[in-house]
Amino acid sequence: MADNNTYLEINLKNLASNLNFLRSKINSNTKLLAVTKANGYGSDSIEVSKFLEKKVDYFAVAYTSEGVELRKNKIKSPILILHPQIGDFDTIQEYNLEPSIYSFMILNEYIDKQCNIPIHIKFNTGLNRLGFSKKNLTKLCKILLNEKITVNYILSHLAASEDIKEESFTKKQIEKFLSICDEFENLTNKAVKKHLLNTSGILNYSDYQFDMVRSGIGLYGYGNNKKYESKLKPVHSLFSSISQIHEVKEGESVGYNRAFLANKNCRIGIVPIGHADGISRSIGNRKGKVMVNNSLCDIIGNVCMDMIMIELNDVNIKEGDKVILFDENSQNSEKFAEYANTISYEVLTSISNRIKRKFVK
Ligand SMILES: *Cc1c(COP(=O)(O)O)cnc(C)c1O
């Protein structure tokens, strides 16, 4: 464990509040699936899933091992595996997980392993990532009927639901999904349940919520739009503290490769968190800032594996003072992500296991 003063705070009250906000955007009979892949977006998938279990209808994770981990920790809700791999199906069956079937190769594997768990069928409607295409429908439905496979849901995933400039593209994706659903139901002669929307989809295209919606980032407090900043509350806060302060003289350098050269006398603080903990090396050399004592301090020099150095402009800052990388009040992880030209998703999921998680209940 990194030092005790470096920790990720997971605010479960905020998680509950975000869930309520998202629920307020959907009909009471629409199911809500919580996405807890990638360790619950870098939080703690077990704690978060336990907290959410009675409050949501479904969970989804990316990989089979993530679903197994939830089952081993007594999560009983249905768990969708978004991206099962060849070789996973004995485990999927054993742990009662629901695979998203996205290709004929994966479907054949499901059949060869004589699985009888319900499945979700994924269609590609424009993201061009995973999924069957519309032209596969006839062959696909024939196999499903012949093999008497129970399809629990069909799904697709939007490419740009957060981007209002891409509204016409998104509408086309939705239309394509609708026509696939129609044809699927005609070919199988049966109504099928559907899910399409991720967080931004819920916020921007709630008419297409169908039977279930899938939220990840929204539960963790981000809506990919300033509009929702007052409604959604960040769940993750990353804190550290100042281990040591140095007075650096004009002409001296700081850190590896002497990347910071002092052009005047200054005070610097050493903070015990580094690129091994998910602090991108690209935010060294004054690209990124952290908050100490209500003052924003530049990260100076290169980000090290286990620490960063910051410039202290406030003379009152002392060793042991709290350092805020991101939190609800000073700068959130979306702002912190901008320093590295990335998005909150990457900042949150990069936080290493070395960092202790503390929960606010
Ligand atoms: C990760 C993921 C989501 C969650 O998206 P958010 O933008 O975090 O709500 C939903 N659906 C699929 C298929 C995903 O891979």
Side-chain angles (χ1 to χ4, degrees), residues 22 33-37 41 60-62 80 82 100 122 127 129-130 155-158 161-162 195-202 213-220 222 224 345:
L22 292 163
L33 173 154
V35 183
T36 59
K37 62 190 178 190
Y41 287 46
V61 291
L80 168 62
L82 291 164
S100 164
K122 186 167 205 174
L127 178 60
R129 205 170 65 177
L130 293 179
L155 73 142
S156 187
H157 193 33
L158 298 174
S161 57
E162 71 289 346
H195 54 97
L196 173 67
L197 304 178
N198 62 346
T199 299
S200 292
I202 298 168
V213 295
R214 311 184 296 266
S215 182
I217 201 75
L219 289 170
Y220 306 103
Y222 298 93
N224 299 320
Y345 295 72

Side-chain angles (χ1 to χ4, degrees), residues 113-282:
K113 289 281 156 59
Q114 299 180 315
C115 292
N116 55 15
I117 36 171
I119 63 171
H120 300 234
I121 300 271
K122 186 167 205 174
F123 287 96
N124 171 27
T125 53
L127 178 60
N128 285 324
R129 205 170 65 177
L130 293 179
F132 289 99
S133 57
K134 192 167 185 228
K135 65 176 195 303
N136 299 143
L137 268 166
T138 312
K139 179 178 168 193
L140 172 65
C141 290
K142 195 176 269 173
I143 299 175
L144 294 173
L145 287 174
N146 279 344
E147 301 289 334
K148 301 192 169 53
I149 294 172
T150 309
V151 177
N152 215 356
Y153 286 87
I154 64 180
L155 73 142
S156 187
H157 193 33
L158 298 174
S161 57
E162 71 289 346
D163 189 351
I164 239 48
K165 291 197 295 299
E166 294 291 359
E167 187 174 351
S168 70
F169 175 87
T170 302
K171 287 276 168 67
K172 279 201 199 97
Q173 255 197 293
I174 294 169
E175 273 164 34
K176 190 157 190 185
F177 185 60
L178 285 168
S179 84
I180 287 171
C181 292
D182 267 358
E183 201 171 328
F184 187 93
E185 291 180 336
N186 284 337
L187 287 165
T188 56
N189 223 342
K190 211 157 103 188
V192 66
K193 290 180 288 182
K194 310 161 186 80
H195 54 97
L196 173 67
L197 304 178
N198 62 346
T199 299
S200 292
I202 298 168
L203 299 173
N204 298 327
Y205 300 95
S206 64
D207 285 352
Y208 303 97
Q209 57 192 271
F210 302 110
D211 302 281
M212 182 155 75
V213 295
R214 311 184 296 266
S215 182
I217 201 75
L219 289 170
Y220 306 103
Y222 298 93
N224 299 320
N225 186 327
K226 290 267 178 279
K227 200 159 91 181
Y228 299 107
E229 246 172 38
S230 60
K231 307 282 186 206
L232 292 168
K233 300 175 181 168
V235 165
H236 305 61
S237 298
L238 185 57
F239 301 117
S240 191
S241 68
I242 295 187
S243 297
Q244 190 176 18
I245 290 178
H246 296 293
E247 311 283 341
V248 173
K249 295 271 173 303
E250 181 181 343
E252 289 184 347
S253 62
V254 174
Y256 287 133
N257 316 104
R258 307 190 64 207
F260 175 79
L261 283 171
N263 58 13
K264 58 177 185 352
N265 295 349
C266 58
R267 279 176 93 223
I268 67 154
I270 313 303
V271 184
I273 188 167
H275 62 71
D277 302 298
I279 305 301
S280 169
R281 201 166 172 280
S282 71

